Amino acid sequence: MGRPGRTSVIEQEREREQGEEQGQGQERERDQEPAARERGDGSADRAPARASGSARRWRRGLRALRALLAALVAAAVVVPLSAAARPRIPAPAPAFLAAPTRAGLDAAYTANRANAEQAARMAAAHGDAHRAAVDRELAAPSHRLLSFDGRGSGRAVEVIGDLAHADRVAVLVPGSDTSLDTYDRFRAGASALSRELTRDAPAATRTAVVAWLGYETPGTISTTVLTTGRAEQAAPHLRQFIHDLRGVTGRGPRITLVCHSYGSVVCGRAAAGLDVNDIALVGSPGTGAGSVRALHTRARVWAARGAEDWIAHVPHVHADLFGTTVGFGTDPMAPAFGARTFPAGRGGHSAYFTPGSPSLTNLSRIVLGATKELSGD
């Protein structure tokens, strides 16, 4: 948000683009008029300049890149101020545990709950009542934590359901602004999907959902949310987690990655060779790849976007600037990307896991393998 009476960086950029477009239009009219007069056909009054399709695409891409750069500049001003307002929260180092096994799940849950309880005490002593409450909740016996790290923005990987005996497993990968401070919102989505799976699953099918907050997510108002940097850091951790998860479930159960918003960039970076059956991208700004083929995955790739999701207006560009990749490339909803699209209803960017929504119903059916039953809006 800009200050009253001042024009924001993005608004200035938009005004400049409009001025350029008007100037280009006037130039095209001047170029057309002499030729039209010579022909005597009046074409200057009825036909615009016939620019090639590639030239038009180039101009659109340039405008999108300028808008993205303007957003980067605006974020660069905001981020240092917002980041400085939140001090680091003390917490113990994570419990040192071997890779989980089916027989060792209960021991892992117990060790991580104990770590969360210790983190709650340290956060309370530090004067952070909100984080202390979050940590204390995660330390409750009802939570099955495969891992926990209360330091900084925090990490947590939680199982909802019986992972040891599950036939269908969904792993949720969150987007920006997800941390221990906002964990309840993320867990609510995982719980909603778990309930949907329980209701939809055939009698002999057992399900589990894993809420994977296994990386430091970018802030929505930040420069990091416009680059692949955080996703590239997260991808090896997601690959390792899926490898360890197969050590618990074995090869038989189907695993689906459900990737929301910036989480789809993480999934895109981790996808190559990943041992999962399906990858569902919801509210995705892009994956950093130009097509499903470029993801180098054998998994089926799905994509959905709510009709009121603002992510549809994010420019789909991909450029290397000063050693950093800005933008995430092809829109996963575009036919050129090659994903299998499914209806997500009228919802906005945070509505994909709303109970009763078409998106939640269809995500459940993808996880269960009942994809012939995907419903419309």
Side-chain angles (χ1 to χ4, degrees):
M1 297 286 292
R3 295 180 182 176
R6 295 182 63 182
T7 304
S8 71
V9 175
I10 296 177
E11 288 170 344
Q12 293 173 6
E13 180 64 28
R14 191 173 295 135
E15 291 172 359
R16 186 166 66 83
E17 290 174 4
Q18 290 172 350
E20 289 179 356
E21 290 175 354
Q22 291 172 359
Q24 290 170 358
Q26 292 169 357
E27 289 177 3
R28 286 195 296 267
E29 291 174 2
R30 287 194 297 270
D31 291 342
Q32 290 167 3
E33 288 172 359
R37 284 195 295 270
E38 289 177 8
R39 292 192 301 270
D41 60 4
S43 59
D45 295 327
R46 71 168 185 268
R50 291 194 292 270
S52 69
S54 60
R56 287 195 298 272
R57 287 193 296 272
W58 184 86
R59 285 197 294 272
R60 284 198 298 269
L62 182 60
R63 288 196 294 271
L65 182 57
R66 285 173 175 167
L68 199 57
L69 290 173
L72 275 171
V73 172
V77 174
V78 174
V79 171
L81 299 176
S82 60
R86 189 81 161 89
R88 305 277 305 174
I89 301 169
F96 181 76
L97 301 170
T101 62
R102 185 174 300 183
L105 282 177
D106 288 340
Y109 298 156
T110 300
N112 286 308
R113 285 198 298 263
N115 190 272
E117 179 60 42
Q118 186 180 357
R121 291 193 296 269
M122 293 178 70
H126 185 65
D128 194 321
H130 175 73
R131 176 61 70 85
V134 171
D135 293 342
R136 195 173 297 113
E137 170 61 27
L138 287 171
S142 59
H143 291 270
R144 300 180 176 95
L145 299 177
L146 276 177
S147 67
F148 176 83
D149 185 351
R151 299 172 298 180
S153 62
R155 312 280 191 280
V157 178
E158 182 176 2
V159 175
I160 301 173
D162 184 1
L163 183 61
H165 302 99
D167 304 301
R168 302 285 187 271
V169 180
V171 178
L172 269 61
V173 181
S176 59
D177 284 331
T178 307
S179 66
L180 286 184
D181 292 323
T182 61
Y183 183 77
D184 57 343
R185 181 183 64 196
F186 178 45
R187 190 181 192 275
S191 298
L193 179 57
S194 178
R195 290 190 296 269
E196 191 79 12
L197 288 169
T198 300
R199 182 169 57 249
D200 292 347
T205 301
R206 293 163 292 189
T207 65
V209 175
V210 180
W212 187 82
L213 177 54
Y215 78 110
E216 183 178 2
T217 68
T220 299
I221 306 295
S222 71
T223 52
T224 52
V225 80
L226 300 175
T227 73
T228 59
R230 291 286 173 86
E232 288 164 357
Q233 295 170 8
H237 299 291
L238 181 56
R239 289 192 197 102
Q240 184 62 51
F241 175 72
I242 296 298
H243 174 78
D244 292 344
L245 184 61
R246 282 297 185 190
V248 175
T249 66
R251 302 283 301 177
R254 295 182 62 86
I255 296 177
T256 299
L257 282 184
V258 180
C259 318
H260 177 238
S261 192
Y262 189 88
S264 63
V265 188
V266 176
C267 291
R269 282 292 188 259
L274 205 62
D275 190 5
V276 298
N277 301 93
D278 293 274
I279 300 174
L281 313 171
V282 291
S284 174
T287 63
S291 66
V292 168
R293 178 172 293 184
L295 293 175
H296 303 292
T297 178
R298 292 177 295 178
R300 295 183 299 181
V301 178
W302 305 82
R305 179 183 297 137
E308 297 180 8
D309 190 342
W310 57 262
I311 206 77
H313 305 294
V314 170
H316 294 283
V317 297
H318 191 271
D320 292 325
L321 298 174
F322 311 112
T324 300
T325 301
V326 178
F328 310 116
T330 308
D331 182 356
M333 296 296 292
F337 186 74
R340 306 170 187 227
T341 59
F342 63 94
R346 303 292 306 171
H349 194 61
S350 300
Y352 292 98
F353 302 96
T354 300
S357 65
S359 59
L360 185 63
T361 297
N362 288 330
L363 284 169
S364 174
R365 290 172 178 172
I366 289 170
V367 174
L368 293 171
T371 55
K372 293 182 180 179
E373 302 174 17
L374 295 182
S375 63
D377 294 333

